[in-house]
Amino acid sequence: LDQRKGDVMSKCEGMRLRLKMEILFKYGTQRSFCIACQKSDSWLSEIVVGRRNPNEDDIVLIMTKLGLGMADEEALFLRRKLKEAAA
């Protein structure tokens, strides 16, 4: 069981707290943000908790809806960038 747990954890990047805070600050709830993006709750949840890496279209959508410039992308998706650089 411990080995299996480690395998699952190695696939997860960890929560993207800055992204979550930006969403809550500007939209109040993740659900409201999903509605604005016309995406499912699970789509956003998987991105926020690190189970899914957003593709470039997802990143542009998220940044646009949050009213952030692409310069903020690295701070919101830092773990994704670091993993890609290490690969």
Coordinates of all heavy atoms in Angstrom, one line a residue:
L1 N 0.8 -1.2 0.0 CA 0.0 0.0 0.0 C 0.9 1.3 0.0 O 0.6 2.2 -0.7 CB -1.0 0.0 1.2 CG -1.9 1.2 1.3 CD1 -2.8 1.2 0.1 CD2 -2.7 1.1 2.6
D2 N 1.9 1.3 0.8 CA 2.8 2.5 0.8 C 3.4 2.7 -0.5 O 3.5 3.9 -0.9 CB 3.9 2.3 1.9 CG 3.4 2.4 3.3 OD1 2.3 3.0 3.5 OD2 4.0 1.9 4.2
Q3 N 3.8 1.7 -1.2 CA 4.4 1.9 -2.6 C 3.4 2.5 -3.5 O 3.7 3.4 -4.3 CB 4.9 0.5 -3.1 CG 5.5 0.6 -4.5 CD 6.7 1.6 -4.7 OE1 7.5 1.7 -3.8 NE2 6.7 2.3 -5.8
R4 N 2.2 2.0 -3.4 CA 1.1 2.5 -4.3 C 0.8 4.0 -4.0 O 0.6 4.8 -4.9 CB -0.1 1.6 -4.1 CG -1.1 1.8 -5.2 CD -2.1 0.7 -5.2 NE -3.4 1.4 -5.3 CZ -4.5 1.0 -4.8 NH1 -4.6 -0.1 -4.1 NH2 -5.6 1.6 -5.0
K5 N 0.8 4.3 -2.7 CA 0.6 5.7 -2.3 C 1.7 6.6 -2.9 O 1.4 7.7 -3.4 CB 0.5 5.8 -0.8 CG 0.2 7.2 -0.3 CD 0.2 7.2 1.2 CE 0.0 8.6 1.7 NZ 0.1 8.7 3.2
G6 N 2.9 6.1 -2.8 CA 4.0 6.9 -3.4 C 3.9 7.1 -4.9 O 4.2 8.2 -5.4
D7 N 3.4 6.1 -5.6 CA 3.2 6.2 -7.0 C 2.2 7.3 -7.4 O 2.4 8.1 -8.3 CB 2.8 4.9 -7.6 CG 3.9 3.8 -7.6 OD1 5.1 4.2 -7.4 OD2 3.6 2.6 -7.8
V8 N 1.1 7.3 -6.6 CA 0.1 8.3 -6.8 C 0.6 9.6 -6.5 O 0.4 10.6 -7.3 CB -1.2 7.9 -6.0 CG1 -2.2 9.1 -6.0 CG2 -1.8 6.6 -6.4
M9 N 1.3 9.8 -5.4 CA 1.8 11.1 -5.0 C 2.8 11.6 -6.0 O 2.9 12.8 -6.3 CB 2.4 11.0 -3.6 CG 1.4 10.8 -2.5 SD 0.0 12.0 -2.6 CE 0.9 13.5 -2.1
S10 N 3.6 10.7 -6.6 CA 4.6 11.2 -7.6 C 4.0 11.7 -8.8 O 4.6 12.5 -9.5 CB 5.6 10.1 -7.9 OG 5.0 9.1 -8.6
K11 N 2.8 11.3 -9.1 CA 2.1 11.8 -10.3 C 1.4 13.2 -10.0 O 1.1 13.9 -11.0 CB 1.0 10.8 -10.7 CG 1.6 9.5 -11.3 CD 0.5 8.5 -11.6 CE 1.2 7.2 -12.0 NZ 0.2 6.2 -12.2
C12 N 1.3 13.5 -8.8 CA 0.6 14.8 -8.4 C 1.7 15.8 -8.2 O 2.7 15.6 -7.5 CB -0.2 14.6 -7.2 SG -1.6 13.5 -7.4
E13 N 1.5 17.0 -8.7 CA 2.4 18.1 -8.5 C 2.3 18.8 -7.1 O 3.1 19.5 -6.7 CB 2.3 19.1 -9.6 CG 2.7 18.6 -10.9 CD 2.6 19.6 -12.0 OE1 2.1 20.7 -11.7 OE2 3.0 19.4 -13.1
G14 N 1.1 18.8 -6.6 CA 0.8 19.6 -5.4 C -0.1 20.7 -5.8 O -0.3 21.1 -6.9
M15 N -0.8 21.2 -4.8 CA -1.8 22.3 -5.0 C -1.1 23.6 -5.5 O -0.1 24.0 -5.0 CB -2.5 22.5 -3.7 CG -3.6 23.5 -3.9 SD -4.6 23.6 -2.4 CE -6.1 22.8 -3.0
R16 N -1.8 24.2 -6.4 CA -1.4 25.5 -6.9 C -2.1 26.6 -6.1 O -3.2 27.1 -6.5 CB -1.7 25.6 -8.4 CG -0.9 24.6 -9.3 CD -1.3 24.7 -10.7 NE -0.3 24.0 -11.5 CZ -0.6 22.8 -12.2 NH1 -1.8 22.3 -12.1 NH2 0.3 22.2 -12.9
L17 N -1.6 26.9 -5.0 CA -2.2 27.8 -4.0 C -2.4 29.2 -4.6 O -3.5 29.8 -4.4 CB -1.5 27.8 -2.7 CG -1.6 26.6 -1.9 CD1 -0.7 26.7 -0.6 CD2 -3.1 26.3 -1.5
R18 N -1.4 29.7 -5.3 CA -1.6 31.1 -5.8 C -2.7 31.2 -6.8 O -3.5 32.1 -6.8 CB -0.3 31.5 -6.4 CG -0.4 32.9 -7.2 CD 0.5 33.9 -6.7 NE 0.1 35.2 -7.4 CZ 0.9 35.8 -8.3 NH1 2.0 35.3 -8.6 NH2 0.5 36.9 -8.8
L19 N -2.9 30.1 -7.6 CA -4.0 30.1 -8.6 C -5.3 30.1 -7.9 O -6.2 30.8 -8.2 CB -3.8 28.9 -9.5 CG -5.0 28.6 -10.5 CD1 -5.2 29.8 -11.4 CD2 -4.7 27.3 -11.2
K20 N -5.4 29.2 -6.9 CA -6.6 29.1 -6.1 C -7.0 30.5 -5.4 O -8.1 30.9 -5.5 CB -6.5 28.0 -5.0 CG -7.8 27.8 -4.3 CD -7.7 26.6 -3.3 CE -9.0 26.4 -2.6 NZ -10.0 25.7 -3.3
M21 N -6.0 31.1 -4.9 CA -6.2 32.4 -4.2 C -6.7 33.5 -5.2 O -7.6 34.3 -4.9 CB -5.0 32.9 -3.5 CG -4.6 32.0 -2.3 SD -5.8 32.0 -1.0 CE -6.5 30.4 -1.2
E22 N -6.1 33.5 -6.4 CA -6.5 34.5 -7.4 C -7.9 34.2 -7.8 O -8.7 35.2 -8.0 CB -5.6 34.4 -8.7 CG -4.2 34.9 -8.4 CD -4.1 36.4 -8.4 OE1 -5.0 37.1 -8.7 OE2 -3.0 36.9 -7.9
I23 N -8.3 33.0 -8.0 CA -9.7 32.6 -8.4 C -10.6 33.1 -7.3 O -11.7 33.7 -7.6 CB -9.8 31.1 -8.7 CG1 -9.0 30.8 -9.9 CG2 -11.3 30.7 -8.7 CD1 -8.8 29.3 -10.2
L24 N -10.3 32.7 -6.0 CA -11.2 33.1 -4.9 C -11.3 34.6 -4.7 O -12.4 35.1 -4.5 CB -10.8 32.4 -3.6 CG -10.9 30.9 -3.6 CD1 -10.3 30.3 -2.3 CD2 -12.3 30.4 -3.9
F25 N -10.2 35.3 -4.9 CA -10.2 36.7 -4.8 C -11.1 37.4 -5.8 O -11.9 38.3 -5.5 CB -8.8 37.3 -4.8 CG -8.7 38.8 -4.7 CD1 -8.9 39.4 -3.5 CD2 -8.4 39.5 -5.9 CE1 -8.9 40.8 -3.5 CE2 -8.3 40.9 -5.8 CZ -8.5 41.5 -4.6
K26 N -11.0 36.9 -7.1 CA -11.7 37.6 -8.2 C -13.1 37.1 -8.4 O -14.0 37.8 -9.0 CB -10.9 37.6 -9.4 CG -9.6 38.4 -9.2 CD -8.8 38.6 -10.5 CE -7.7 39.5 -10.1 NZ -6.5 39.3 -10.9
Y27 N -13.4 35.8 -8.1 CA -14.7 35.2 -8.4 C -15.4 34.7 -7.2 O -16.6 34.4 -7.3 CB -14.5 34.0 -9.4 CG -14.2 34.5 -10.8 CD1 -12.9 34.8 -11.2 CD2 -15.3 34.7 -11.7 CE1 -12.7 35.3 -12.5 CE2 -15.0 35.1 -13.0 CZ -13.7 35.4 -13.3 OH -13.5 35.9 -14.6
G28 N -14.8 34.7 -6.0 CA -15.5 34.2 -4.8 C -15.5 32.7 -4.6 O -15.3 32.3 -3.5
T29 N -15.7 32.0 -5.7 CA -15.7 30.5 -5.6 C -15.1 29.9 -6.9 O -15.2 30.6 -7.9 CB -17.2 29.9 -5.4 OG1 -17.9 30.2 -6.6 CG2 -17.9 30.5 -4.2
Q30 N -14.7 28.7 -6.8 CA -14.2 28.0 -7.9 C -15.3 27.8 -8.9 O -15.1 27.9 -10.1 CB -13.5 26.7 -7.6 CG -12.1 26.9 -7.0 CD -11.4 25.6 -6.8 OE1 -10.4 25.6 -6.0 NE2 -11.8 24.5 -7.4
R31 N -16.5 27.5 -8.4 CA -17.7 27.3 -9.2 C -18.0 28.5 -10.1 O -18.3 28.3 -11.3 CB -18.9 26.9 -8.3 CG -20.1 26.7 -9.1 CD -20.1 25.3 -9.9 NE -21.3 25.1 -10.6 CZ -21.3 24.9 -11.9 NH1 -20.2 24.8 -12.6 NH2 -22.4 24.8 -12.6
S32 N -17.9 29.7 -9.5 CA -18.2 30.9 -10.3 C -17.2 31.1 -11.4 O -17.5 31.5 -12.5 CB -18.2 32.1 -9.4 OG -19.2 32.1 -8.5
F33 N -15.9 30.7 -11.1 CA -14.9 30.8 -12.1 C -15.1 29.8 -13.2 O -15.0 30.1 -14.4 CB -13.5 30.6 -11.5 CG -12.4 30.8 -12.4 CD1 -12.0 32.0 -12.9 CD2 -11.6 29.7 -12.9 CE1 -10.9 32.2 -13.8 CE2 -10.6 29.8 -13.7 CZ -10.2 31.1 -14.2
C34 N -15.5 28.6 -12.9 CA -15.8 27.6 -13.9 C -17.0 28.0 -14.8 O -16.9 27.8 -16.0 CB -16.2 26.3 -13.2 SG -14.9 25.4 -12.4
I35 N -18.0 28.6 -14.2 CA -19.1 29.1 -15.1 C -18.6 30.2 -16.0 O -18.9 30.2 -17.2 CB -20.2 29.7 -14.2 CG1 -20.9 28.5 -13.4 CG2 -21.2 30.5 -15.0 CD1 -21.8 29.0 -12.3
A36 N -17.7 31.1 -15.6 CA -17.2 32.1 -16.4 C -16.3 31.5 -17.5 O -16.3 32.1 -18.7 CB -16.3 33.1 -15.6
C37 N -15.6 30.4 -17.2 CA -14.8 29.8 -18.2 C -15.6 28.8 -19.1 O -15.0 28.3 -20.1 CB -13.7 29.0 -17.5 SG -12.5 30.1 -16.7
Q38 N -16.8 28.5 -18.7 CA -17.6 27.5 -19.4 C -16.9 26.1 -19.4 O -16.8 25.4 -20.4 CB -18.0 27.9 -20.8 CG -18.8 29.2 -20.9 CD -19.1 29.6 -22.3 OE1 -18.5 29.2 -23.3 NE2 -20.2 30.4 -22.4
K39 N -16.4 25.8 -18.2 CA -15.7 24.6 -18.0 C -16.3 23.8 -16.8 O -17.0 24.5 -16.0 CB -14.2 24.8 -17.7 CG -13.4 25.4 -18.8 CD -13.2 24.3 -19.9 CE -12.2 24.8 -20.9 NZ -11.8 23.8 -21.8
S40 N -16.0 22.6 -16.7 CA -16.6 21.8 -15.6 C -15.8 22.0 -14.3 O -14.6 22.5 -14.3 CB -16.5 20.3 -15.9 OG -15.2 19.8 -15.9
D41 N -16.5 21.8 -13.2 CA -15.8 21.9 -11.9 C -14.6 21.0 -11.8 O -13.6 21.3 -11.2 CB -16.8 21.6 -10.7 CG -17.9 22.6 -10.6 OD1 -17.8 23.7 -11.1 OD2 -18.9 22.2 -10.0
S42 N -14.7 19.8 -12.3 CA -13.6 18.8 -12.2 C -12.4 19.3 -13.0 O -11.3 19.1 -12.6 CB -14.1 17.4 -12.7 OG -14.4 17.4 -14.0
W43 N -12.6 19.9 -14.1 CA -11.5 20.5 -14.9 C -10.7 21.4 -14.1 O -9.4 21.2 -14.0 CB -12.1 21.2 -16.1 CG -11.1 22.1 -16.9 CD1 -10.2 21.6 -17.9 CD2 -10.9 23.5 -16.8 NE1 -9.5 22.7 -18.3 CE2 -9.9 23.8 -17.7 CE3 -11.5 24.5 -16.0 CZ2 -9.4 25.2 -17.8 CZ3 -11.0 25.8 -16.1 CH2 -10.0 26.1 -17.0
L44 N -11.3 22.4 -13.4 CA -10.6 23.3 -12.6 C -10.0 22.6 -11.4 O -8.8 22.9 -11.0 CB -11.5 24.5 -12.2 CG -10.7 25.5 -11.3 CD1 -9.6 26.2 -12.1 CD2 -11.7 26.6 -10.9
S45 N -10.7 21.8 -10.7 CA -10.2 21.2 -9.5 C -9.0 20.4 -9.8 O -8.0 20.4 -9.0 CB -11.3 20.2 -8.9 OG -10.9 19.6 -7.8
E46 N -9.0 19.6 -10.9 CA -7.8 18.8 -11.2 C -6.6 19.7 -11.5 O -5.4 19.3 -11.2 CB -8.1 17.9 -12.4 CG -9.0 16.8 -12.1 CD -9.4 16.0 -13.3 OE1 -8.9 16.2 -14.4 OE2 -10.3 15.1 -13.1
I47 N -6.8 20.9 -12.1 CA -5.7 21.8 -12.3 C -5.2 22.4 -11.0 O -4.0 22.4 -10.8 CB -6.1 22.9 -13.3 CG1 -6.3 22.3 -14.7 CG2 -5.1 24.1 -13.3 CD1 -6.9 23.3 -15.7
V48 N -6.1 22.8 -10.2 CA -5.7 23.5 -8.9 C -5.0 22.5 -8.0 O -4.0 22.9 -7.4 CB -7.0 24.1 -8.2 CG1 -6.7 24.5 -6.8 CG2 -7.5 25.3 -9.0
V49 N -5.4 21.3 -7.9 CA -4.8 20.4 -7.0 C -3.5 19.7 -7.6 O -2.8 19.0 -6.9 CB -5.7 19.3 -6.4 CG1 -6.9 20.0 -5.6 CG2 -6.3 18.4 -7.5
G50 N -3.3 20.0 -8.9 CA -2.1 19.4 -9.5 C -2.2 18.1 -10.1 O -1.2 17.5 -10.5
R51 N -3.4 17.6 -10.3 CA -3.6 16.3 -11.0 C -3.6 16.4 -12.5 O -3.4 15.5 -13.2 CB -5.0 15.7 -10.6 CG -4.9 15.0 -9.3 CD -6.2 14.2 -9.0 NE -6.6 14.4 -7.7 CZ -7.7 14.9 -7.2 NH1 -8.6 15.2 -8.1 NH2 -7.9 15.0 -5.9
R52 N -3.8 17.6 -13.0 CA -3.8 17.9 -14.4 C -2.9 19.1 -14.7 O -3.0 20.1 -14.0 CB -5.2 18.2 -14.9 CG -5.3 18.6 -16.3 CD -6.6 19.2 -16.7 NE -7.7 18.3 -16.5 CZ -8.7 18.1 -17.3 NH1 -8.8 18.9 -18.4 NH2 -9.6 17.3 -17.1
N53 N -2.1 19.0 -15.7 CA -1.3 20.2 -16.2 C -2.2 20.8 -17.2 O -2.6 20.2 -18.2 CB 0.0 19.8 -16.7 CG 1.0 19.4 -15.6 OD1 1.0 20.0 -14.6 ND2 1.9 18.5 -15.9
P54 N -2.4 22.1 -17.1 CA -3.2 22.8 -18.1 C -2.4 22.9 -19.4 O -1.2 23.1 -19.4 CB -3.4 24.2 -17.5 CG -2.3 24.4 -16.6 CD -1.9 23.0 -16.1
N55 N -3.1 22.8 -20.5 CA -2.5 23.0 -21.8 C -2.4 24.5 -22.1 O -2.9 25.3 -21.3 CB -3.2 22.2 -23.0 CG -4.6 22.6 -23.2 OD1 -5.0 23.8 -23.0 ND2 -5.5 21.7 -23.5
E56 N -1.8 24.8 -23.2 CA -1.6 26.3 -23.5 C -3.0 27.0 -23.6 O -3.1 28.2 -23.2 CB -0.8 26.5 -24.7 CG 0.7 26.0 -24.6 CD 1.4 26.6 -23.4 OE1 1.3 27.9 -23.2 OE2 2.0 25.9 -22.6
D57 N -4.0 26.4 -24.2 CA -5.3 27.0 -24.3 C -5.9 27.2 -23.0 O -6.5 28.3 -22.7 CB -6.2 26.2 -25.2 CG -5.8 26.2 -26.7 OD1 -5.1 27.1 -27.1 OD2 -6.3 25.3 -27.4
D58 N -5.8 26.3 -22.1 CA -6.3 26.4 -20.7 C -5.6 27.6 -20.0 O -6.2 28.3 -19.3 CB -6.0 25.1 -19.9 CG -6.8 23.9 -20.4 OD1 -7.9 24.1 -21.0 OD2 -6.4 22.8 -20.1
I59 N -4.3 27.7 -20.2 CA -3.5 28.7 -19.5 C -4.0 30.1 -20.0 O -4.2 31.0 -19.2 CB -2.0 28.5 -19.7 CG1 -1.5 27.3 -18.9 CG2 -1.2 29.8 -19.3 CD1 -0.1 26.9 -19.2
V60 N -4.1 30.2 -21.3 CA -4.6 31.5 -21.8 C -6.0 31.8 -21.3 O -6.2 33.0 -20.9 CB -4.6 31.5 -23.4 CG1 -5.3 32.7 -24.0 CG2 -3.1 31.4 -23.9
L61 N -6.9 30.9 -21.3 CA -8.2 31.1 -20.8 C -8.2 31.5 -19.3 O -8.8 32.5 -18.9 CB -9.1 29.8 -20.9 CG -10.5 29.8 -20.3 CD1 -11.3 30.9 -21.0 CD2 -11.1 28.4 -20.4
I62 N -7.4 30.8 -18.5 CA -7.4 31.1 -17.1 C -6.8 32.5 -16.8 O -7.3 33.3 -16.1 CB -6.5 30.0 -16.3 CG1 -7.3 28.7 -16.3 CG2 -6.1 30.5 -14.9 CD1 -6.4 27.5 -15.9
M63 N -5.7 32.8 -17.5 CA -5.1 34.1 -17.3 C -6.0 35.2 -17.8 O -6.0 36.3 -17.1 CB -3.7 34.2 -18.1 CG -2.7 33.1 -17.7 SD -2.3 33.2 -16.0 CE -1.2 34.6 -16.0
T64 N -6.7 35.0 -18.9 CA -7.6 36.1 -19.4 C -8.7 36.3 -18.5 O -9.0 37.4 -18.1 CB -8.1 35.7 -20.8 OG1 -7.0 35.5 -21.7 CG2 -9.1 36.7 -21.4
K65 N -9.3 35.2 -18.0 CA -10.5 35.4 -17.1 C -10.1 36.0 -15.7 O -10.9 36.6 -15.1 CB -11.2 34.0 -16.8 CG -11.9 33.5 -18.1 CD -13.0 34.3 -18.5 CE -13.7 33.8 -19.7 NZ -14.8 34.6 -20.1
L66 N -8.8 35.8 -15.3 CA -8.4 36.4 -14.1 C -7.8 37.8 -14.3 O -7.5 38.5 -13.3 CB -7.3 35.5 -13.5 CG -7.7 34.1 -12.9 CD1 -6.5 33.3 -12.4 CD2 -8.7 34.3 -11.8
G67 N -7.8 38.2 -15.5 CA -7.3 39.5 -15.8 C -5.8 39.7 -15.6 O -5.4 40.8 -15.2
L68 N -5.0 38.6 -15.7 CA -3.6 38.7 -15.4 C -2.8 38.6 -16.7 O -3.3 38.1 -17.7 CB -3.2 37.5 -14.5 CG -3.9 37.4 -13.2 CD1 -3.5 36.1 -12.5 CD2 -3.5 38.6 -12.3
G69 N -1.7 39.2 -16.7 CA -0.8 39.2 -17.9 C 0.0 37.9 -17.9 O 0.1 37.2 -16.9
M70 N 0.5 37.5 -19.0 CA 1.2 36.3 -19.2 C 2.5 36.3 -18.4 O 3.0 35.2 -18.1 CB 1.5 36.0 -20.7 CG 0.2 35.8 -21.5 SD -0.9 34.6 -20.8 CE -0.1 33.0 -21.1
A71 N 2.9 37.4 -17.9 CA 4.1 37.5 -17.0 C 3.8 36.8 -15.7 O 4.7 36.3 -15.0 CB 4.5 38.9 -16.8
D72 N 2.5 36.7 -15.3 CA 2.1 36.1 -14.1 C 2.0 34.6 -14.2 O 1.8 33.9 -13.2 CB 0.8 36.6 -13.6 CG 0.8 38.1 -13.2 OD1 1.7 38.5 -12.5 OD2 0.0 38.9 -13.7
E73 N 2.1 34.1 -15.4 CA 1.9 32.6 -15.7 C 2.9 31.8 -14.9 O 2.5 30.8 -14.3 CB 2.1 32.3 -17.2 CG 2.1 30.9 -17.5 CD 2.4 30.6 -18.9 OE1 2.7 31.5 -19.7 OE2 2.5 29.4 -19.2
E74 N 4.1 32.2 -14.9 CA 5.1 31.4 -14.2 C 4.8 31.3 -12.7 O 5.0 30.2 -12.1 CB 6.5 32.0 -14.4 CG 7.6 31.1 -13.8 CD 9.0 31.6 -14.2 OE1 9.1 32.3 -15.2 OE2 9.9 31.2 -13.5
A75 N 4.3 32.3 -12.1 CA 4.0 32.3 -10.6 C 2.8 31.3 -10.4 O 2.8 30.6 -9.4 CB 3.7 33.7 -10.1
L76 N 1.8 31.4 -11.3 CA 0.6 30.5 -11.1 C 0.9 29.1 -11.4 O 0.3 28.2 -10.8 CB -0.5 31.0 -11.9 CG -1.1 32.4 -11.6 CD1 -2.3 32.7 -12.5 CD2 -1.6 32.4 -10.1
F77 N 1.7 28.8 -12.4 CA 2.0 27.5 -12.8 C 3.4 27.1 -12.7 O 4.0 26.3 -13.4 CB 1.5 27.3 -14.3 CG 0.1 27.7 -14.5 CD1 -0.3 28.9 -15.0 CD2 -0.9 26.8 -14.2 CE1 -1.6 29.3 -15.2 CE2 -2.2 27.1 -14.3 CZ -2.6 28.4 -14.9
L78 N 4.1 27.6 -11.6 CA 5.5 27.4 -11.4 C 5.9 25.9 -11.4 O 6.8 25.5 -12.0 CB 5.9 28.0 -10.1 CG 7.4 27.9 -9.8 CD1 8.3 28.5 -10.8 CD2 7.7 28.5 -8.4
R79 N 5.1 25.1 -10.7 CA 5.5 23.7 -10.6 C 5.5 23.0 -12.0 O 6.3 22.2 -12.3 CB 4.5 22.9 -9.7 CG 4.7 23.3 -8.2 CD 3.7 22.5 -7.4 NE 3.9 22.7 -6.0 CZ 4.6 21.9 -5.2 NH1 5.2 20.9 -5.8 NH2 4.8 22.2 -4.0
R80 N 4.5 23.4 -12.8 CA 4.5 22.8 -14.2 C 5.7 23.2 -14.9 O 6.4 22.4 -15.6 CB 3.2 23.3 -14.9 CG 3.0 22.7 -16.3 CD 1.8 23.3 -16.9 NE 2.0 24.7 -17.3 CZ 2.6 25.1 -18.4 NH1 3.0 24.3 -19.3 NH2 2.7 26.4 -18.7
K81 N 6.1 24.4 -14.8 CA 7.3 24.9 -15.5 C 8.6 24.2 -15.0 O 9.4 23.8 -15.8 CB 7.5 26.4 -15.3 CG 6.4 27.2 -16.0 CD 6.7 27.4 -17.4 CE 5.7 28.4 -18.0 NZ 5.8 28.4 -19.4
L82 N 8.7 24.0 -13.7 CA 9.9 23.4 -13.1 C 9.9 21.9 -13.6 O 11.0 21.4 -13.9 CB 9.8 23.4 -11.6 CG 10.1 24.8 -11.0 CD1 9.9 24.8 -9.5 CD2 11.5 25.3 -11.4
K83 N 8.8 21.2 -13.6 CA 8.8 19.8 -14.0 C 9.1 19.7 -15.5 O 9.9 18.8 -15.9 CB 7.4 19.2 -13.8 CG 7.2 18.6 -12.4 CD 6.1 17.7 -12.4 CE 6.3 16.8 -11.2 NZ 5.5 15.6 -11.2
E84 N 8.7 20.6 -16.3 CA 9.0 20.5 -17.7 C 10.5 20.8 -18.0 O 11.1 20.1 -18.8 CB 8.2 21.6 -18.5 CG 6.7 21.2 -18.7 CD 5.9 22.3 -19.3 OE1 6.4 23.3 -19.7 OE2 4.7 22.0 -19.5
A85 N 11.1 21.7 -17.2 CA 12.5 22.0 -17.3 C 13.3 20.8 -16.9 O 14.4 20.5 -17.4 CB 12.8 23.2 -16.5
A86 N 12.9 20.0 -15.9 CA 13.6 18.9 -15.4 C 13.5 17.7 -16.3 O 14.4 16.8 -16.3 CB 13.1 18.5 -14.0
A87 N 12.5 17.7 -17.2 CA 12.3 16.5 -18.1 C 13.2 16.5 -19.2 O 13.9 17.3 -19.5 CB 10.8 16.5 -18.6

